[in-house]
Amino acid sequence: MSPDGEPVTVDPSTVVTVKRKTTKSSRSWISIDTTGQRTVLDEDKYAIMHRVQIHARDLRILDPNLSYPSAILGRERAIVLNLEHIKAIITAQEVLIRDSSDENLIPVLEEFQRRLPVVQGDAEAGEEDESPFEFRALEVVLEAICSLLAARTTELETSAYPALDELTLEISSRNLERVRKLKSAMTRLTARVQKVRDELEQLLDDDDDMADIYLSRKLAGVSSSVSVSDEPLWYPTSPTIGSKISRASRMSLVSVRGDDENDVEELEMLLEAYFMQIDSTLNKLTALREYIDDTEDYINIQLDNHRNQLIQLELMLSSGTVCISMYSMIAGIFGMNIPYTWNDEHGYVFKWVVSLTGTFCAALFVIVLSYARYKGLVGSWWSKENKQD
């Protein structure tokens, strides 16, 4: 409504335009090419699929709204990578990264821009960094993930070990709650590290998967093969046909690549280096878990010891109660209003009754405790407490 009370007509095109902008911003990508130039792309999934030549099922792995396990997938023209907060597509010419508000992604983008361009070595020696573009990009991602998880593990160790030591000294609700939160954080972090380690281990165990990551080699083979270059390698409308053509094209390039296709030593050395780093991080978390388990066992032993002390104390009190009850029974009998012939000698009889009854109850109490100590029910904790004092 306008200030004059007249209805206001809204242009439908304006609403549609705003909606499209919102949708596009949620699908934005960041592209970094071989020169390190950074570009923001506002393209939908079909444009991205056509750009890097992957299928929709591979692009779905990178959807931030869906939960998928860690993955490093080698495709015909790209590497689909989903590790922690880094969701990227690596080709032989560029890296596409999901635009995210995660602050941990900012240093990764800066590292991409610094290390992706080819670094010229000594001009006189003619040395040059001959690592393929996809390897340099993959190394940046693995280094960022391993360093992040290692830093999180160090922070957790710094907080956990003092908290566990404090808990062993004083078992309180505050210390127990603190250790509980640290244990939950350790469990979540261990799961994250384990996923990355398993993915690297799976990739190292399969030479064919590692060979699929050599994008530059496959691109060079396609360029030198006339029969392959004359036919399309990408069929986005049919993933099944596309995968068959992809496998057929790789088979047709065997004669061009020769023995180089099975040469994965360079990639294997790269993956093994970061596998050892992530495995070391997992070992630290395993050691921390064992320390937590040992602390829990120690606390349970302490609680069981206190529980046994309470049971022993209860046994002593129960024995004393029985003896006092017998004394009260004798006092109750003599308190009855019944005429006796010896009632005239009050003082003499009273002394004997009190003395004998007290002596009998005390002797009974000592006998019960002696029998319990002989059976090992009481006495061990009492002697230990006296030695400590």
Side-chain angles (χ1 to χ4, degrees), residues 243-262:
S243 60
K244 291 181 179 179
I245 295 297
S246 176
R247 289 194 295 268
S249 63
R250 287 198 297 267
M251 293 299 295
S252 64
L253 295 177
V254 172
S255 59
V256 179
R257 299 175 191 171
D259 296 335
D260 290 340
E261 184 177 1
N262 296 324

Side-chain angles (χ1 to χ4, degrees), residues 244-309:
K244 291 181 179 179
I245 295 297
S246 176
R247 289 194 295 268
S249 63
R250 287 198 297 267
M251 293 299 295
S252 64
L253 295 177
V254 172
S255 59
V256 179
R257 299 175 191 171
D259 296 335
D260 290 340
E261 184 177 1
N262 296 324
D263 184 12
V264 294
E265 183 178 359
E266 183 180 358
L267 178 60
E268 187 175 6
M269 292 177 61
L270 174 65
L271 295 177
E272 282 181 351
Y274 291 101
F275 175 79
M276 293 176 62
Q277 183 176 349
I278 199 69
D279 189 62
S280 176
T281 302
L282 183 61
N283 291 336
K284 292 181 180 180
L285 291 173
T286 303
L288 179 59
R289 175 180 291 275
E290 293 177 354
Y291 194 84
I292 292 178
D293 293 339
D294 294 341
T295 303
E296 290 179 348
D297 294 339
Y298 176 75
I299 292 174
N300 290 331
I301 292 174
Q302 280 190 333
L303 294 177
D304 291 339
N305 184 36
H306 291 313
R307 192 179 298 111
N308 292 334
Q309 292 180 9

Side-chain angles (χ1 to χ4, degrees), residues 26-30 43 45 59-60 62-64 85-89 96-101 105 109:
S26 62
R27 295 198 300 260
S28 61
W29 293 75
I30 298 176
E43 298 182 356
K45 63 179 182 180
L59 191 61
R60 197 177 298 115
L62 306 180
D63 192 343
H85 58 283
I86 302 178
K87 302 178 184 298
I89 302 175
L96 295 177
I97 308 173
R98 278 278 190 181
D99 190 6
S100 174
S101 58
L105 192 61
L109 297 176

Side-chain angles (χ1 to χ4, degrees), residues 148-279:
L148 175 64
L149 295 177
R152 294 291 183 269
T153 302
T154 303
E155 293 176 0
L156 184 62
E157 287 179 330
T158 305
S159 303
Y161 284 112
L164 293 171
D165 294 337
E166 185 177 353
L167 180 61
T168 56
L169 297 176
E170 180 184 1
I171 302 176
S172 61
S173 300
R174 183 181 64 86
N175 291 335
L176 288 173
E177 180 65 18
R178 182 183 176 188
V179 172
R180 185 192 66 82
K181 292 180 180 180
L182 290 173
K183 185 177 181 180
S184 300
M186 184 207 64
T187 302
R188 293 191 297 268
L189 183 58
T190 303
R192 293 166 58 187
V193 174
Q194 186 69 49
K195 289 178 182 178
V196 177
R197 182 189 179 278
D198 291 344
E199 184 60 28
L200 292 178
E201 184 178 16
Q202 182 180 357
L203 190 59
L204 283 169
D205 291 340
D206 196 330
D207 291 345
D208 293 335
D209 289 343
M210 286 192 287
D212 288 337
I213 297 181
Y214 279 81
L215 303 180
S216 300
R217 178 190 298 172
K218 291 189 290 186
L219 184 61
V222 171
S223 300
S224 61
S225 178
V226 179
S227 60
V228 176
S229 60
D230 292 339
E231 296 180 2
L233 296 177
W234 172 242
Y235 296 86
T237 57
S238 178
T240 305
I241 296 177
S243 60
K244 291 181 179 179
I245 295 297
S246 176
R247 289 194 295 268
S249 63
R250 287 198 297 267
M251 293 299 295
S252 64
L253 295 177
V254 172
S255 59
V256 179
R257 299 175 191 171
D259 296 335
D260 290 340
E261 184 177 1
N262 296 324
D263 184 12
V264 294
E265 183 178 359
E266 183 180 358
L267 178 60
E268 187 175 6
M269 292 177 61
L270 174 65
L271 295 177
E272 282 181 351
Y274 291 101
F275 175 79
M276 293 176 62
Q277 183 176 349
I278 199 69
D279 189 62

Side-chain angles (χ1 to χ4, degrees), residues 319-353:
S319 302
T321 302
V322 170
C323 296
I324 294 176
S325 299
M326 296 182 63
Y327 192 87
S328 301
M329 181 188 67
I330 300 298
I333 292 175
F334 278 87
M336 293 180 181
N337 192 12
I338 300 176
Y340 293 103
T341 57
W342 40 266
N343 275 348
D344 297 335
E345 301 176 356
H346 297 288
Y348 179 77
V349 175
F350 177 77
K351 292 180 181 179
W352 277 104
V353 170

